[in-house]
């Protein structure tokens, strides 16, 4: 998905396919599937607009209706990606145009810097296209395509020009003075970019251009899919799967048209359910068919009187002899001793997947170091000739395939030349194993059953790859618990690696239906699955790299052992503080619009303002979905003050919009303002995002203004604000967002990934932490006149990493370690690579920590699948709800403070006395000695504040220490006052007028 997430490690682009897992991913020259005869096509593309030598100012994309009927383009879009790129830029077709037969439609794109004539477009976009190579797609909705080689029902037409993805063969490379023009004025569409397009001078045509009628295209044909051959061992039955589909018709019949052969028949025919559906049948070969070769022709018919035939060469013969068994081919090492050789082996089919099938030796060799199973990488047609439980003898080339260069090699059979059935109805008993498992390579390709319950540990790639990472219990990121580089951290990393396997769904492309979701539309990390049974696979996995996978042969049944919860119920205090990363909450969208409907808008990043700097919702619809989740999360937590990260850096506007929405959700239609924005400090940084605070004025009062640290080390300056509670207690809050772990720099500098679990930019985070604890926090405490400081936010550092150690070494106390791990639980707020840890912290100064009553995370986000978030693109199904689950990728942290009042009235425990007033005529002052005596049974704790109330007009306490509640007071700096003890101090009054000096007193313990 295209949204920015701040992962602990830079995630490599997910491989869209695989070899063991599905042929090769994005190979050079990868061609697109045929789209059929589309009524509206891309008829011309030009990307050299305004470049050197160009005669036209703008790039453009031209569309053409080649059919004999009008076509509505309402909601459609044209999209562009670079020749090898996977990110698609979108221009939506404006209005509701209806393109008539033979009519052109011109979409203007970005202008170059040079001169050139202007276009007369039907709609405009801003995509800057390459003048030489790229990919242009016509899509029947406005959602951006995903991946370098997209497919699906929304993709209407594609032109790859000198690109890595195309229809048929590659389209022509272009120049600043040439465009790609579809043949016959746009009428020709054979699904072959290389033959359908030629280069020529750009000739932009729009809806005002005279129509160019094509002959009505023929109805799309029936497309039959049959294996080229079916080989059988004499005396055995066998079958092959056949299918046919028709884009605009219903396939409703199948029949063998070749010379009948006794024992060869067509069975189990199922007609297509509707136009575009798939009809299926099986070609059955009985055991009675004698040895020989039998050409079989099968014809499919549809409801449009169309027909299509396919031929299958059926061979019945004595099978070739086995050269080596599967365990012998696998061998005891990491690679096969027979790699690169052609072998014939025999096994029972245990599972069929998208790019082949698995077979396993029916007996095995009893050696636990040699796998009894192997993957057969072959065509869908060949896979259709076998069924689970068939025993087959296969001839092919042994290959050690490494999905990642230099990584684990997976032994498989390729280039299959013979598949001969030698038995059927054979059940392989799964081998019982459990995680952790020292070397899953020893059971690769085998049918296994996990005897221990496995825990869901990651769901990041459930929607786009159908993958669920499972583990032996919940896995903790090593540096969340142990110091980076320590022996304990290394041991935990090694143990975690042996405790994971990825549960896949067997299809290796984006699933049409999101697998494994429960009745509530979710599956959560922490849920478990028992008796998991399937075949051990190995291949590319989401997030990059490769790993062991399980292709299930029995539908997994998950237990909801980690159900959704309400926010944590903390020990009672008088102030609730929360930290929430709101995952790029932007009111300006990536399409250049904003929440008020303005177009042509952008987001600030450094000195630039561009829509490409925006990181959150793509459009207003996505923002409304995002806003509902974020508001729901904050409302449910109900903190007195929130520290927020990843708010758009747009002054007060975006955080103000959030507060307005939150207040409306709390008190609909009343205008009541529960929350207010803490006004931003002078410096909020130059990043596109910033930190912010919102608070409840009814429970907290701001002291002074917010401040931030604009030192150059801080790419997102920390923000601090001091508050006073209703009882007069004071504390300061610092919100932080340290440098993220992603987008690693190259080379081996200080900020490179050192391989110790802390990822990259750690040196910068350490500098930021030092600056925070040694300079900024002391400034905050000094300005507040109070040492009680709470640091919260996304530190992009797990619990025991270097930046956190810098802070705790200064005496700050890690409240999540204290309360969460201290209660026997694992603290975590983020999940990456199957491991959980907390990047979001609550760190209290020594003066504050005794007042922290409790702290916890609310696991409403990190445990949820990414696919249920607010985004609308790149999803096979939309499982969104407005509930506050997967509102972000980070869990919020909630802290309960029990702040004692800074002073208490002890008047009832003391006796006050004063000597008579004496006038000093030299100074004009009236002096006296005042004493307080502890009349109680317990010592009183100082300092003491003696307040003088009711002084008459004109009378002033000259030596007052200050004023409290409108009355002067004197501070008595005694540490304690024991029972019966007395402390005395001088009084000095001045007066004007004739009033007598009189007063009443109150005595307080503590400080005003």
């Amino acid at each position: 998905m295209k949204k920015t997430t701040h992962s602990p490690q830079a995630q490599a682009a997910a491989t869209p396919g695989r070899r063991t897992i599905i042929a090769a991913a994005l190979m050079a020259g990868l061609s697109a599937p045929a789209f059929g005869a589309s009524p509206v096509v891309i008829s011309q593309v030009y990307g050299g607009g305004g470049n050197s030598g160009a005669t036209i100012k703008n790039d453009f994309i031209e569309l053409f209706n080649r059919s004999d009927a009008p076509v509505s383009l309402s909601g459609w879009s044209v999209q562009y990606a670079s020749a090898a790129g996977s990110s698609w830029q979108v221009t939506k077709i404006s209005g509701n145009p209806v393109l008539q037969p033979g009519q052109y439609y011109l979409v203007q794109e970005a202008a170059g810097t040079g001169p050139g004539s202007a276009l007369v477009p039907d709609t405009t976009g801003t995509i800057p296209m390459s003048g030489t190579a790229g990919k242009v797609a016509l899509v029947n909705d406005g959602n951006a395509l995903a991946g370098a080689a997209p497919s699906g029902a929304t993709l209407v037409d594609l032109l790859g020009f000198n690109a890595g993805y195309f229809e048929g063969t590659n389209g022509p490379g272009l120049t600043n003075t040439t465009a790609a023009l579809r043949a016959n004025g746009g009428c020709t569409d054979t699904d072959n970019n290389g033959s359908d397009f030629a280069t020529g001078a750009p000739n932009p045509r729009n809806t005002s251009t005279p129509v160019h009628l094509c002959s009505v295209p023929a109805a799309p044909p029936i497309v039959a899919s049959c294996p080229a051959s079916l080989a059988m061992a004499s005396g055995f039955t066998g079958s092959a799967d056949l299918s046919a589909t028709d884009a605009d018709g219903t396939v409703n019949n199948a029949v063998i048209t070749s010379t009948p052969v006794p024992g060869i028949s067509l069975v189990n025919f199922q007609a297509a359910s509707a136009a575009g559906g798939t009809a299926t049948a099986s070609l059955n070969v009985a055991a009675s068919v004698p040895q020989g070769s039998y050409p079989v022709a099968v014809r499919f018919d549809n409801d449009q009187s169309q027909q299509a035939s396919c031929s299958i060469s059926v061979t019945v013969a004595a099978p070739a002899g086995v050269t080596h068994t599967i365990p012998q081919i696998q061998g005891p090492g990491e690679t096969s001793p027979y790699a690169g050789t052609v072998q014939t082996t025999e096994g029972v089919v245990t599972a069929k997947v998208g790019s082949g099938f698995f077979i396993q030796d029916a007996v095995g060799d009893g050696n636990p170091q040699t796998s009894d199973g192997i993957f057969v990488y072959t065509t869908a047609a060949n896979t259709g000739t076998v069924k689970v439980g068939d025993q087959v003898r296969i001839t092919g080339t042994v290959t050690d395939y490494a999905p990642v260069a230099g990584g684990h090699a997976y032994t498989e059979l390729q280039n299959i030349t013979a598949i001969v059935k030698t038995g059927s109805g054979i059940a392989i008993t799964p081998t019982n194993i459990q995680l952790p498992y020292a070397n899953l390579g020893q059971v690769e390709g085998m049918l296994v059953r996990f005897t221990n319950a496995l825990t869901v540990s990651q769901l990041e790639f459930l929607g786009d790859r159908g993958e669920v990472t499972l583990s032996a219990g919940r896995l903790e990121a090593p540096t969340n618990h142990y110091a980076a580089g320590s022996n304990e951290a290394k041991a935990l990393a090694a143990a975690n690696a042996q405790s994971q396997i990825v549960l896949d769904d067997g299809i290796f492309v984006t699933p049409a239906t999101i697998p494994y979701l429960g009745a509530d539309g979710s599956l959560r990390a922490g849920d478990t699955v028992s008796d998991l049974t399937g075949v051990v696979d190995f291949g590319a996995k989401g997030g990059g790299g490769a790993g062991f996978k399980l292709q299930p042969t029995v539908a997994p049944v998950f237990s909801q052992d980690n159900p959704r919860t309400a926010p944590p119920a903390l020990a009672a205090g008088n102030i609730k503080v929360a930290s929430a990363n709101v995952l790029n909450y932007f009111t300006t969208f990536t399409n250049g619009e904003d929440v008020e409907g303005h177009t042509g808008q952008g987001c600030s990043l450094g000195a630039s303002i561009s829509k490409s700097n925006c990181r959150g919702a793509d459009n207003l619809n996505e923002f409304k979905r995002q806003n509902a989740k974020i508001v729901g999360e904050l409302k449910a937590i109900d903190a007195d003050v929130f520290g927020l990260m990843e708010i758009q850096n747009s002054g007060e506007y975006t955080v103000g919009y959030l507060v307005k929405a939150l207040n409306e959700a709390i008190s609909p239609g009343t205008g009541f303002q529960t929350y207010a924005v803490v006004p931003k400090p002078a410096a909020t940084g130059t990043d596109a995002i910033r930190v912010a605070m919102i608070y409840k004025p009814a429970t907290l009062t701001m002291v002074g203004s917010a401040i931030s640290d604009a030192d150059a080390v801080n790419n997102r300056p920390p923000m601090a604000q001091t508050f006073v509670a209703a009882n007069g207690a004071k504390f300061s809050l610092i919100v932080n967002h340290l440098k993220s772990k992603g987008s690693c720099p190259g080379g081996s500098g200080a900020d490179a990934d050192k391989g110790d679990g802390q990822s990259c930019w750690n040196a910068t985070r350490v500098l930021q932490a030092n600056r925070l604890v040694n300079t900024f926090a002391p400034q905050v405490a000094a300005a507040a006149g109070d040492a009680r400081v709470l640091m919260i936010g996304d530190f992009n550092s797990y619990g025991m990493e270097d930046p956190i150690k810098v802070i705790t070494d200064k005496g700050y106390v890690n409240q999540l370690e204290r309360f969460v791990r201290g209660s026997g639980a694992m603290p975590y707020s983020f999940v990456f690579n199957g491991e959980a840890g907390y990047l979001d912290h609550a760190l209290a100064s020594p003066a504050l920590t005794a007042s922290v009553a409790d702290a916890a995370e609310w696991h409403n986000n990190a445990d949820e699948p990414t696919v249920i978030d607010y985004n609308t693109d790149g999803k096979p199904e939309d499982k969104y709800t407005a509930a506050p689950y997967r509102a972000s990728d980070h869990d919020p942290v909630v802290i309960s403070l029990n702040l004692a009042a800074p002073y208490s009235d002890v008047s009832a425990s003391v006796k006050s006395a004063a000597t008579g007033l004496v006038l000093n005529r030299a100074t004009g002052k009236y002096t006296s000695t005042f004493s307080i005596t502890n009349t109680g049974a317990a010592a009183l704790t100082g300092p003491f504040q003696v307040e003088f109330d009711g002084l008459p007009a004109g009378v002033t306490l000259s030596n007052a220490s200050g004023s409290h509640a409108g009355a002067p007071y004197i501070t008595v700096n005694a540490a304690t006052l024991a029972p019966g003890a007395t402390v005395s101090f001088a009084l000095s009054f001045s007066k004007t007028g004739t009033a007598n000096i009189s007063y009443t007193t109150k005595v307080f313990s503590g400080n005003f």
Side-chain angles (χ1 to χ4, degrees), residues 819-838:
F819 288 104
V820 179
R821 199 182 300 278
S823 67
M826 177 179 71
Y828 70 95
S829 65
F830 195 86
V831 172
F832 178 77
N833 203 25
E835 298 173 333
Y838 63 106

Side-chain angles (χ1 to χ4, degrees), residues 478-479 481-495:
T479 54
H481 201 171
Y482 303 109
S486 66
N487 290 334
E488 295 87 349
K490 293 176 182 177
L492 182 54

